[in-house]
Amino acid sequence: MNTVIEDDSTLTDRYQTTVPASVRRVLKLKRRDRIHYMIRPNGEVVLTRARDETSQDPVMASFLAFLERDLQEHPENIRPITASTFAEAERLTAGIEVDLDEELPEDDDDTSTTSA
C-alpha cells in the first residue's frame, strides 16, 4: 500500500479508544480480534493485527523450534544453494502445479491411497 492513511481517535476517561474504521479495514479486524503494539525506541508505535496463537500448528511450531536449535548449535552445516542444486530442484518439480489456496481434504493422511 503506497497511500498514507491518517486517522485519529480519542481516549475515554478509562483510557479506552475506538479503532478508526480506516485502520480496521486495512488490518482486516473483526470484533474480538486482538491488536499487537510495537513501541520503537524513537517513541513511534506500530499497530498490527495480533497473530492468532490458537491457529498455529503445534507440530510445525515444534519442528521450527528444532530447526532453530540445530542451526544455532551446528552453523557449520549451513550451506548455500548452488545453481546446480536449484536446477535439480526445478527438474524434480517440473510440471507440478500447486494451488496454495486449495483446501486440504479432511482425510489427507489416509493411507489407503498411498503408492508404493
Side-chain angles (χ1 to χ4, degrees):
M1 175 171 53
N2 293 335
T3 305
V4 174
I5 299 173
E6 294 186 32
D7 217 331
D8 295 317
S9 65
T10 303
L11 285 176
T12 67
D13 291 336
R14 295 179 56 190
Y15 296 101
Q16 295 175 334
T17 189
T18 299
V19 177
S22 60
V23 175
R24 292 193 312 265
R25 273 192 302 274
V26 170
L27 297 180
K28 296 180 174 76
L29 293 172
K30 300 180 299 286
R31 288 185 168 94
R32 313 302 297 163
D33 280 347
R34 295 177 57 236
I35 298 171
H36 176 77
Y37 300 87
M38 179 176 52
I39 303 169
R40 295 186 172 161
N42 65 358
E44 189 176 62
V45 178
V46 178
L47 179 120
T48 56
R49 181 186 184 136
R51 288 188 359 189
D52 184 7
E53 300 297 325
T54 60
S55 68
Q56 286 188 347
D57 182 342
V59 174
M60 183 58 76
S62 296
F63 176 67
L64 292 174
F66 161 76
L67 283 179
E68 180 181 16
R69 274 193 316 277
D70 190 61
L71 290 170
Q72 289 174 347
E73 294 172 7
H74 303 286
E76 69 277 5
N77 292 336
I78 300 172
R79 294 188 179 83
I81 295 177
T82 64
S84 63
T85 305
F86 187 75
E88 179 67 4
E90 283 186 318
R91 184 187 69 76
L92 291 170
T93 58
I96 297 174
E97 292 186 28
V98 177
D99 179 0
L100 296 178
D101 295 322
E102 181 181 354
E103 293 280 331
L104 292 175
E106 288 296 320
D107 60 346
D108 65 343
D109 62 350
D110 183 20
T111 56
S112 64
T113 59
T114 55
S115 58

